[in-house]
Amino acid sequence: MRLLFSIGAVLVAGMLAGGDVAGIAAPGPKFESPRTQPQRLAADKDAQSVDVELILAVDVSYSMDMDELAIQREGYAQAIQSKEFLQALKLGPNGRIAVTYFEWAASSDQKIIIPWRLIDGPETADAVAAEIMKTPIRRASRTSISGAINFAMPLFDEDPYRGLRRVIDISGDGPNNNGGPVTMARDAALEKGIVINGLPIMVKEPSYSTMDIDNLDLYYEDCVIGGPGSFVITIKERDKFKEAIRTKLLMEVAGRTPERPVMRVADKEPRVNCLIGEKIWSDRWGR
């Protein structure tokens, strides 16, 4: 559409200048009237504006069982297609968002499932959902939330769209146990004006084999999320999985927070040890 607009502007400018269509059939900068340039640039800027640039960073570590991974995939796909999501989309000033979806495990293991895509209505939402569902489910070792955040940050620079907000959405079922400290990655993102929200998954009883912790929700609140309006939605029941994902996406699209927002003060001592995952790994494996 932007290309058609540019060609139309060139044709009009050429005719007003007394030229013939044949002489300007191959449009280029030298044929464009200076008076049309601000209009074209404004139209291009509007076409690239979205309400939020949203990165969905999804845990696929071995602590997630195959059933959880399948429900997680379905949850995101169904949420994006839901009537509630599409209604929330319309309420934004631009009525569209840009989204990318990647899966992560260790600090060097991230895989983009959906590159940046525009969602502006049912058709584009269905296309993104179909892409999510057609990719084979995989699992990998270790849990590096810091690696996921560090991988996500430069993705915003690759996004062809520009949002009013930039959000990284981290979902996972355990603390960081690989890569750099999660708080360092989080703080680097906050310095760039990026908001981080969390979806801690707590549907299983913590066990030594999976290296889970009892208070993963507090860990996410104190060590992972940050930025204006950041929030955590905890999943504690398997049958609430899809509902929680849909609620989280609705709030991110609408720029809202839960009724009980997280009141985290930067200079306050965290309620949990933000290096607990690294400690558990070291105690277990001696490294």
Side-chain angles (χ1 to χ4, degrees), residues 50-52 54 56 76 80-81 85-86 89-90 94-100 114 116-129 132 161 249 253:
V50 294
D51 296 322
V52 61
L54 178 61
L56 302 175
Y76 280 104
I80 288 169
Q81 293 177 294
F85 177 86
L86 294 172
L89 196 67
K90 293 178 183 178
N94 294 293
R96 53 186 180 260
I97 68 168
V99 63
T100 184
I114 307 291
W116 284 109
R117 294 283 187 266
L118 181 72
I119 299 181
D120 58 359
E123 289 186 7
T124 48
D126 289 346
V128 169
I132 291 174
Y161 303 98
L249 288 183
V253 169

Side-chain angles (χ1 to χ4, degrees), residues 93-283:
N94 294 293
R96 53 186 180 260
I97 68 168
V99 63
T100 184
Y101 180 110
F102 76 87
E103 295 175 340
W104 58 271
S107 61
S108 59
D109 188 336
Q110 299 89 24
K111 181 181 179 182
I112 294 178
I113 305 301
I114 307 291
W116 284 109
R117 294 283 187 266
L118 181 72
I119 299 181
D120 58 359
E123 289 186 7
T124 48
D126 289 346
V128 169
E131 254 186 294
I132 291 174
M133 292 303 297
K134 75 178 183 182
T135 306
I137 293 174
R138 73 184 186 100
R139 299 167 78 195
S141 61
R142 306 296 296 268
T143 300
S144 182
I145 301 173
S146 59
I149 295 173
N150 288 330
F151 180 81
M153 283 190 283
L155 294 181
F156 288 114
D157 298 328
E158 302 171 13
D159 184 9
Y161 303 98
R162 291 294 171 263
L164 303 176
R165 294 173 287 121
R166 288 182 163 185
V167 178
I168 300 174
D169 183 331
I170 299 277
S171 65
D173 71 340
N176 193 78
N177 63 38
N178 180 244
V182 65
T183 52
M184 290 182 62
R186 175 202 63 196
D187 293 346
L190 301 190
E191 287 179 5
K192 296 177 179 290
I194 297 168
V195 172
I196 302 176
N197 294 328
L199 185 75
I201 301 165
M202 305 172 66
V203 298
K204 296 192 298 284
E205 288 294 324
S207 70
Y208 179 80
S209 61
T210 56
M211 298 180 59
D212 298 330
I213 60 175
D214 288 316
N215 48 2
L216 186 64
D217 48 352
L218 299 185
Y219 175 89
Y220 262 71
E221 289 186 5
D222 290 357
C223 309
V224 178
I225 71 165
S230 59
F231 62 86
V232 162
I233 291 184
T234 304
I235 303 176
K236 293 186 177 182
E237 299 176 43
R238 194 177 291 261
D239 60 356
K240 300 293 185 182
F241 220 113
K242 295 178 182 179
E243 179 185 336
I245 291 174
R246 184 174 67 250
T247 299
K248 176 173 58 68
L249 288 183
L250 286 174
M251 291 192 296
E252 285 165 340
V253 169
R256 296 182 180 178
T257 57
E259 292 182 4
R260 189 188 69 83
V262 176
M263 303 299 290
R264 183 184 180 279
V265 182
D267 59 357
K268 196 173 183 178
E269 283 295 318
R271 293 163 289 183
V272 295
N273 179 3
C274 291
L275 294 174
I276 189 171
E278 289 86 345
K279 183 180 185 305
I280 294 173
W281 185 271
S282 177
D283 291 345

Side-chain angles (χ1 to χ4, degrees), residues 57-78:
V58 179
D59 181 10
V60 292
S61 60
Y62 277 115
S63 57
M64 296 278 289
D65 62 45
M66 293 300 289
D67 186 44
E68 286 176 332
L69 293 174
I71 294 174
Q72 185 171 240
R73 281 277 190 91
E74 291 171 7
Y76 280 104
Q78 291 178 11

